[in-house]
Amino acid sequence: MFLVAGLGNPGEEYAATPHNMGFLVVDRLAARHGIRLTRKECQALLGQGNIGGKTVLLAKPQTFMNLSGVAVKPLLEKNEIPVSELILVYDELDLPWGSLRVKPRGSAAGHNGIKDVIARLGTQEFPRIRLGVHPGHPLPSGKDYLLSRFTRQQNESPDEFVDLAADATESIIAEGVEKSMTRFNRRAQGLTPEEE
């Protein structure tokens, strides 16, 4: 069984913000596969279904971003899911808007939600999908930007972006991380391989 956890913040005021890309991807997967996200368990909204012939739990932690591990760890434990079958989907301010990176493991790279998950699980050996949300111009405050509504330009493209991220998630479940990396990783402009 896989656990796909999309990270974000609960509440209508955060719904259409860059920090909630993970929630949008989980919602898209749920819609595609007829999975209802109605169960409440371990401080998360959950739905269980079948994706690519595998049993999958979709989760939207309701703990707020910086405490994502508070929901993710007990969900893994209660459902006896190995960390290797956890897929985290989240926004990444270090990558330009629209870029997507599938990674088999890695540090938090300054992302507080991932820091919390790594600290509570005691490992960073889990697959993740990083969704670039940087707008391409200097930001006075990264935090304010992440929690503000999508711009008109972003509003025109998140659908395609969310679809791509949902495709990448399905690919990890069906084919594994290595094949998904080959298929989906789009090199972010201006980044060296080390920064990716």
Side-chain angles (χ1 to χ4, degrees):
M1 182 189 285
F2 283 85
L3 171 62
V4 177
L7 304 190
N9 287 312
E12 191 52 44
E13 68 268 38
Y14 299 112
T17 65
H19 225 18
N20 268 37
M21 289 299 293
F23 276 16
L24 295 177
V25 174
V26 165
D27 287 340
R28 182 63 48 88
L29 287 165
R32 279 186 185 181
H33 298 280
I35 298 170
R36 295 178 61 210
L37 294 164
T38 51
R39 218 163 96 204
K40 289 183 181 172
E41 190 178 295
C42 303
Q43 297 186 67
L45 273 178
L46 280 188
Q48 184 173 322
N50 195 287
I51 297 177
K54 311 264 176 68
T55 302
V56 177
L57 264 187
L58 297 178
K60 292 162 67 174
Q62 302 294 292
T63 52
F64 287 92
M65 178 66 84
N66 292 355
L67 294 172
S68 295
V70 171
V72 170
K73 185 180 182 187
L75 281 172
L76 290 172
E77 290 173 346
K78 184 170 184 181
N79 295 283
E80 298 181 354
I81 299 170
V83 174
S84 59
E85 295 192 353
L86 164 66
I87 302 169
L88 280 192
V89 186
Y90 58 94
D91 62 283
E92 182 59 77
L93 195 54
D94 288 343
L95 297 174
W97 177 266
S99 60
L100 180 151
R101 305 293 297 156
V102 175
K103 291 188 76 179
R105 67 188 64 81
S107 70
H111 192 294
N112 289 329
I114 304 309
K115 266 185 205 165
D116 191 64
V117 172
I118 289 171
R120 291 174 196 276
L121 295 182
T123 182
Q124 53 187 30
E125 298 285 317
F126 52 82
R128 73 277 310 266
I129 299 174
R130 302 162 69 214
L131 305 175
V133 295
H134 197 287
H137 56 76
L139 294 170
S141 164
K143 181 183 174 187
D144 289 348
Y145 165 73
L146 288 172
L147 298 177
S148 58
R149 295 260 170 190
F150 290 134
T151 63
R152 188 182 306 152
Q153 189 181 358
Q154 288 169 341
N155 251 330
E156 289 166 5
S157 62
D159 240 22
E160 183 187 324
F161 192 14
V162 168
D163 267 335
L164 182 72
D167 292 345
T169 309
E170 291 167 348
S171 170
I172 292 174
I173 292 164
E175 307 174 297
V177 178
E178 299 303 325
K179 279 193 178 172
S180 303
M181 287 171 67
T182 306
R183 277 185 63 195
F184 288 94
N185 282 2
R186 295 173 162 188
R187 179 147 303 186
Q189 288 179 342
L191 284 189
T192 65
E194 290 76 36
E195 289 172 312
E196 292 174 0

